């Protein structure tokens, strides 16, 4: 099993380019099932989750081809297998994103239930209720969702009890080829949802209101092939900015979208960081230690749950105390005990962590439990004195493209160890 070995305590400095966003690319790829033509995707990151989605589309009969590092062509016209098997869904919950498109295209779909995961139970009941409202008959048996709408889906008004990102995306994709109009109320306003709506529109869909709580979709008879581009990864961008700050360095991320990170950047400024935004670049540094700053995760445009672990890592070395409240997922604090192993002082009570800043962290072996938790541990390891080994890094490979190479470019001493071999990033271990 692979590990990341980090020799911490070096300020990271320099410039790094944002990759395409995993959580934007996944629904865009799933949408290829809806299209009567070839879709060319730009800025697709090389990640484990993207490879899983590609395998799923190939399983369904689509032709999928990377023609250069980050450009992908998908021809879904010959797809004939409206199914997502357990083996693929269990490694990536976002596989459930094919449910809406398969049902819209084939009038039936059989998709494995994703099951729980490290950060919470994460049911997909709102996806299913929405599809039922559009006329689908749904049964859940033997761990699979079977959905059928032999005469096609019919537009409906759907109210989400709770904001759901992939739920909004799934129903938006289902509605694109439905008969009549669909209104999604209390819809997700996440930038990834906006990226999906704009891309579907470029392929012929009729969608309005993305980026607000009400999205309206007027069904069309088909979508045509075309070209779409994934937005920059806001979570990756913020993680590199945090890497600069936690090490007392100075990092600039290029090719990013500052407007998508308003809440995160505002909290950095409250904590005492200097944030310079210039077009599609963000630079962050701090002249003195950061101050403890409270956060509470919320759907966009609130503070993203996908940055909670990274912000908490920053706060472990801030002056004073602060609270980190997680309102989206019930179990997204698995990094807390690992940060404590590195010397952090954190107390947990329900969905709130109280972090009391310490003056240093010290390297130790720690274990990654999920994607963003592992990013928080890598950040803490970059700041900790001595060696930190982060194991189970397959989690981080799901969502961070070439992380050791990018951090190495900024001056981190970080190495991937695999079966006794090592692949050095940056200057290497001296
Ligand atoms: N929920 C339900 N029922 C549903 C759907 C959601 O109860 O039918 C609950 C969830 O359990 C959770 C809340 O609603 O408590 C919000 O979950 P949401 O559906 O928004 O999460 P998701 O769509 O499964 C996406 C991202 C996550 C990110 C969340 C929240 C993708 C592929 N995944 O998940 O990203 O944390 O939105 O912003 O877009 C990650 O990248 O590490 C990651 C976990």
């Amino acid at each position: 099993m692979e590990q990341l070995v980090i020799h911490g305590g070096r300020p990271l400095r320099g410039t790094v380019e944002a990759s395409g966003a995993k959580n934007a690319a996944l629904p865009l790829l799933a949408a290829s099932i809806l299209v009567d033509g070839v879709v060319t995707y730009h800025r697709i990151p090389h990640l484990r989750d993207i490879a899983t989605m590609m395998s799923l589309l190939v399983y369904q009969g689509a032709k999928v081809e990377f023609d250069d590092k980050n450009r992908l062509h998908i021809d879904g016209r010959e797809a004939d297998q409206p199914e997502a098997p357990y083996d693929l869904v269990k490694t990536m919950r976002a596989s459930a994103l094919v449910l809406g498109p398969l049902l819209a295209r084939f009038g039936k779909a059989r998709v494995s239930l994703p099951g729980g995961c490290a950060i919470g139970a994460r049911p997909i009941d709102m996806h299913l209720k929405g599809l039922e409202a559009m006329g689908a008959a749904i049964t859940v048996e033997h761990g699979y969702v079977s959905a059928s709408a032999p005469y096609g889906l019919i537009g409906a008004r759907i109210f989400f009890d709770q904001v759901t990102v992939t739920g909004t995306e799934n129903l938006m994709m289902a509605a694109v080829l439905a008969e009549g109009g669909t209104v999604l109320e209390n819809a997700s306003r996440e930038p990834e949802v906006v990226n999906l709506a704009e891309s579907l529109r470029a392929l012929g869909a009729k969608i309005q209101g993305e980026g607000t709580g009400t999205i309206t979709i007027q069904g069309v008879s088909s979508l045509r092939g075309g070209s779409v581009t994934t937005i920059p990864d806001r979570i990756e961008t913020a993680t590199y900015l945090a890497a600069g700050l936690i090490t007392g360095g100075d990092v600039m991320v290029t090719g990013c979208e500052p407007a998508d990170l308003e809440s995160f950047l505002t909290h950095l400024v409250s904590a005492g960081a200097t944030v310079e935004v210039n077009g599609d670049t963000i630079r962050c540094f701090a002249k003195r230690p950061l101050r403890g700053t409270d956060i509470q995760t919320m759907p966009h445009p609130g503070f993203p749950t996908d940055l909670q672990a990274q912000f908490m890592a920053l706060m472990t070395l801030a002056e004073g105390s602060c609270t980190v409240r997680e309102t989206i997922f019930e179990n997204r604090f698995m990094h807390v005990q690992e940060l404590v192993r590195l010397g952090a002082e954190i107390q947990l009570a329900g969905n709130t962590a109280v972090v009391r800043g310490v003056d240093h962290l010290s390297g130790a072996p720690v274990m990654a439990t999920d994607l963003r938790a592992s990013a928080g541990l890598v950040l803490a390891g970059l700041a900790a004195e001595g060696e930190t080994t982060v194991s189970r890094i397959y989690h981080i490979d799901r969502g961070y493209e070439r992380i050791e190479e990018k951090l190495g470019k900024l001056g981190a001493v970080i190495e991937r160890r695999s079966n006794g071999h090592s692949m050095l990033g940056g200057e290497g271990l001296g």
Side-chain angles (χ1 to χ4, degrees):
M1 208 178 284
E2 292 186 330
Q3 302 175 322
L4 281 180
V5 181
I6 303 164
H7 277 216
R10 291 162 168 80
L12 300 199
R13 292 181 199 286
T15 302
V16 66
E17 196 183 347
S19 293
K22 164 181 90 76
N23 288 349
L26 290 172
L28 289 180
L29 298 190
S32 66
I33 299 166
L34 296 165
V35 180
D36 192 13
V38 180
V39 185
T40 297
Y41 293 90
H42 298 266
R43 207 175 188 177
I44 296 295
H46 268 269
L47 297 170
R48 221 163 59 97
D49 276 7
I50 298 295
T52 304
M53 183 58 87
M54 286 167 60
S55 305
L56 189 53
L57 295 169
V58 168
Y59 175 90
Q60 287 157 358
K63 289 190 192 122
V64 179
E65 188 195 322
F66 258 119
D67 77 345
D68 78 358
K69 232 169 56 182
N70 296 103
R71 193 169 53 198
L72 183 62
H73 304 278
I74 305 186
D75 183 350
R77 281 175 293 190
E78 284 171 30
D80 57 0
Q81 187 68 259
E83 185 170 324
Y86 177 64
D87 280 350
L88 289 170
V89 178
K90 76 174 184 215
T91 62
M92 184 184 73
R93 296 180 43 85
S95 306
L97 278 169
V98 297
L99 181 58
L102 288 177
L103 190 55
R105 158 116 180 241
F106 296 102
K108 60 180 181 179
R110 190 168 174 271
V111 172
S112 171
L113 268 181
C117 75
I119 62 178
R122 302 182 75 186
I124 57 163
D125 56 309
M126 289 190 280
H127 304 223
L128 303 186
K129 271 189 211 144
L131 293 172
E132 277 175 339
M134 295 173 78
I138 293 188
T139 52
V140 179
E141 260 179 350
H142 309 298
Y144 275 78
V145 175
S146 295
S148 89
Y151 305 108
L153 294 167
I154 301 156
R157 181 182 172 277
I158 294 158
F159 178 83
F160 294 105
D161 287 338
Q162 194 179 343
V163 174
T164 163
V165 179
T166 51
T168 303
E169 292 163 349
N170 226 340
L171 296 182
M172 191 199 293
M173 291 187 282
V176 153
L177 297 182
E179 193 189 318
T182 296
V183 182
L184 304 178
E185 298 276 16
N186 197 24
S188 155
R189 296 158 68 185
E190 252 65 16
E192 293 75 15
V193 172
V194 174
N195 193 195
L196 177 64
E198 287 173 347
S199 304
L200 288 170
R201 206 160 40 227
L203 304 174
K206 289 194 178 152
I207 304 178
Q208 284 182 325
E210 70 276 10
T212 76
T214 304
I215 301 176
T216 310
I217 304 119
Q218 188 62 39
V220 295
S221 57
S222 66
L223 296 187
R224 55 177 179 267
S227 180
V228 302
T229 303
T230 308
I231 55 171
D233 196 319
R234 61 194 168 114
I235 308 301
E236 186 209 27
T237 298
T239 303
Y240 288 113
L241 294 174
L245 286 171
I246 200 169
T247 56
D250 182 345
V251 166
M252 181 189 277
V253 181
T254 58
C256 63
E257 181 47 84
D260 291 346
L261 276 169
E262 212 167 324
S263 175
F264 176 75
L265 297 177
T266 302
H267 282 85
L268 289 185
V269 171
S270 303
T274 301
V275 175
E276 292 177 359
V277 171
N278 190 357
D280 67 353
T281 67
I282 309 174
R283 175 184 170 205
C284 277
F285 57 92
K287 294 214 170 81
R288 49 184 310 276
L290 297 182
R291 289 184 290 275
T293 302
D294 299 341
I295 57 160
Q296 167 167 318
T297 63
M298 296 293 273
H300 193 75
F303 193 97
T305 175
D306 287 348
L307 286 174
Q308 181 254 102
Q310 299 89 319
F311 196 84
M312 190 189 290
L314 270 183
M315 291 297 102
T316 63
L317 288 168
E319 282 175 349
S321 299
C322 67
T323 56
V324 172
R325 205 163 150 240
E326 173 59 56
T327 74
I328 309 289
F329 292 112
E330 65 273 21
N331 193 26
R332 210 171 199 181
F333 278 138
M334 306 273 277
H335 43 285
V336 167
Q337 288 318 313
E338 302 301 302
L339 290 172
V340 167
R341 288 181 52 71
L342 297 171
E345 286 191 19
I346 308 172
Q347 268 167 356
L348 264 184
N351 71 347
T352 304
V354 179
V355 186
R356 203 174 70 80
V358 293
D359 61 13
H360 74 284
L361 297 175
S362 59
V366 290
M367 199 175 288
T369 48
D370 73 73
L371 167 56
R372 308 305 172 185
S374 32
L377 298 181
V378 168
L379 291 180
L382 289 168
E385 291 163 7
E387 184 177 292
T388 295
T389 309
V390 185
S391 53
R392 300 202 176 161
I393 53 154
Y394 51 86
H395 289 293
I396 212 160
D397 293 333
R398 291 186 45 211
Y400 288 88
E401 191 175 36
R402 298 179 282 111
I403 188 165
E404 66 271 36
E405 189 186 318
K406 285 189 171 186
L407 287 173
K409 205 180 143 214
L410 296 173
V413 179
I414 179 166
E415 122 184 86
R416 181 180 291 254
R417 270 194 204 148
S418 155
N419 301 328
H421 301 295
S422 68
M423 291 162 260
L424 289 176
E427 56 187 298
L429 295 174

